[in-house]
Amino acid sequence: MRRSILNDPDQIVPEALEGFVLSHPHLLDLDAEHRFVARKERARDKVGLVSGGGSGHEPLHAGFVGTGMLDVAVAGAVFASPTALQVLEATKAADSGRGVVQIVKNYTGDVLNFRIAGEISGDDAIDTEIVLVDDDLATESSDGEGPGRRGTAATVIVEKVCGAAAEEGKDLHEVAEVGRRVAASARTMSLALAAGTHPGDDAPQFELGSDEVELGVGIHGERAARRVPFTDADGLTDLLLDPLLEELGLAKGDRVLAIVNGLGAAYPLELNLAARRLHHRLRDAGIEVGRSLVGSYVTSLDMHGFSLTLMPLDDELRRLWDAPVRTPALTW
């Protein structure tokens, strides 16, 4: 029997949200009925930002609610979309009269429910635009069939730069456009040494041998198309970095924003080994790491693995990334 720090598996999300907001009383408010977290001091006269999705990816999204990022984050059950009604109420809460940008990871349920909520919110005279995040290179398809690339760690960049653009006073379309520019250029690859386990379950979502690596996993524990032999930290980092460099066509003199993201059970020492390899490889290729994050920002319960995200970085995106932010999970 696998033991967890758990009361009732069906209540893990509302109980965790309550504990999270109680731990940040000066930053956050909780709407327990609709399961969303909002800024304690609601913004005035700016474009609102709302995001959300299934739980199990913490600190995404509630950890990024605050000045300079999201106004509201709405939570579904573990790995399940929030309902359209939840998203609608979250969108209303994010609106201060200048419209709301909805930041949505590309999963069928999330896309459907955010779109429905956006359409209904028009009845309350709230203008909305959606920014779809679809950065997972492992789900790239050349035939255009299927739901498209999944949304993963690039969501953090989209939420950060859109938040900064909104604080600058940009209008609804301008904020959405800068988010879409990030989504169009950022790409992510992920791997797992062990799958995560749903709260209350006894077994992980899939089994891996001690000599195997699942290359190209999703943040909902989706299996990958490939299993490759286990190797050391440098080798694992190369497994993610090589396809990203090829996809983005990066060359000497380019500058990137890089995220080394833990998927839940990878500890900081491991992530810093990956960061070390990333910096060495890019330095040797003449590519500047203009800005970077190393830590667990978009997790998959307790999956033991990590992801790399790269985004070409221009002056505007660097300025928006550097703009002040104060949230539970990201502050500078």
Side-chain angles (χ1 to χ4, degrees), residues 109-332:
D110 289 339
V111 173
L112 178 64
N113 288 332
F114 272 85
R115 281 181 176 163
I116 292 172
E119 291 172 1
I120 297 174
S121 64
D123 297 338
D124 292 313
I126 300 173
D127 294 328
T128 61
E129 291 208 29
I130 284 182
V131 175
L132 191 67
V133 185
D134 58 349
D135 55 307
D136 185 6
L137 185 58
T139 45
E140 178 87 53
S141 174
S142 59
D143 59 13
E145 299 294 328
R149 294 185 301 265
R150 301 175 294 223
T152 56
T155 309
V156 177
I157 310 175
V158 174
E159 292 179 355
K160 176 65 187 72
V161 303
C162 284
E167 297 286 353
E168 283 186 350
K170 293 186 183 299
D171 65 26
L172 179 64
H173 181 68
E174 291 171 327
V175 174
E177 278 304 298
V178 76
R180 290 176 184 132
R181 188 151 66 87
V182 170
S185 61
R187 293 292 180 270
T188 296
M189 278 290 293
S190 310
L191 63 78
L193 308 182
T197 303
H198 276 263
D201 285 357
D202 289 333
Q205 292 170 282
F206 56 84
E207 298 284 352
L208 273 169
S210 61
D211 59 345
E212 295 178 317
V213 175
E214 193 88 357
L215 179 62
V217 292
I219 58 172
H220 299 111
E222 298 98 330
R223 301 288 302 275
R226 294 178 60 198
R227 279 192 178 182
V228 299
F230 176 70
T231 183
D232 60 15
D234 287 355
L236 293 173
T237 306
D238 290 347
L239 287 172
L240 303 181
L241 185 56
D242 287 338
L244 290 174
L245 292 175
E246 181 179 354
E247 168 69 15
L248 294 175
L250 295 170
K252 185 176 181 179
D254 288 338
R255 184 174 59 192
V256 298
L257 190 159
I259 298 179
V260 179
N261 174 63
L263 292 173
Y267 47 84
L269 285 174
E270 293 177 295
L271 299 180
N272 281 317
L273 291 183
R276 170 182 174 273
R277 179 64 170 180
L278 171 78
H279 279 264
H280 286 180
R281 284 284 310 277
L282 295 185
R283 179 198 61 196
D284 293 346
I287 299 167
E288 177 190 354
V289 181
R291 295 291 184 272
S292 64
L293 280 180
V294 180
S296 295
Y297 298 99
V298 183
T299 60
S300 180
L301 295 173
D302 58 343
M303 179 181 284
H304 189 193
F306 70 104
S307 64
L308 295 184
T309 300
L310 294 182
M311 181 193 73
L313 189 63
D314 61 28
D315 290 341
E316 181 188 24
L317 294 179
R318 182 169 64 176
R319 176 177 58 76
L320 293 171
W321 180 261
D322 287 347
V325 59
R326 188 185 182 210
T327 71
L330 208 62
T331 294
W332 56 68

Side-chain angles (χ1 to χ4, degrees), residues 15-126:
E15 290 182 355
L17 283 176
E18 182 183 0
F20 187 68
V21 172
L22 287 172
S23 300
H24 301 281
H26 304 298
L27 292 177
L28 305 176
D29 268 337
L30 174 65
D31 184 319
E33 179 182 0
H34 301 102
R35 293 188 185 176
F36 68 73
V37 173
R39 288 168 56 159
K40 186 79 171 183
E41 292 187 13
R42 303 299 172 92
R44 296 287 182 268
D45 194 29
K46 65 176 275 298
V47 171
L49 296 180
V50 61
S51 190
S55 298
H57 309 302
E58 294 70 28
L60 191 75
H61 297 275
F64 301 121
V65 174
T67 305
M69 288 189 80
L70 298 176
D71 293 279
V72 180
V74 56
V78 173
F79 294 173
S81 171
T83 67
L85 175 60
Q86 285 180 266
V87 179
L88 174 62
E89 294 302 321
T91 301
K92 290 179 181 177
D95 182 52
S96 65
R98 295 188 57 186
V100 176
V101 171
Q102 299 174 321
I103 299 169
V104 185
K105 301 188 304 300
N106 189 29
Y107 297 97
T108 302
D110 289 339
V111 173
L112 178 64
N113 288 332
F114 272 85
R115 281 181 176 163
I116 292 172
E119 291 172 1
I120 297 174
S121 64
D123 297 338
D124 292 313
I126 300 173

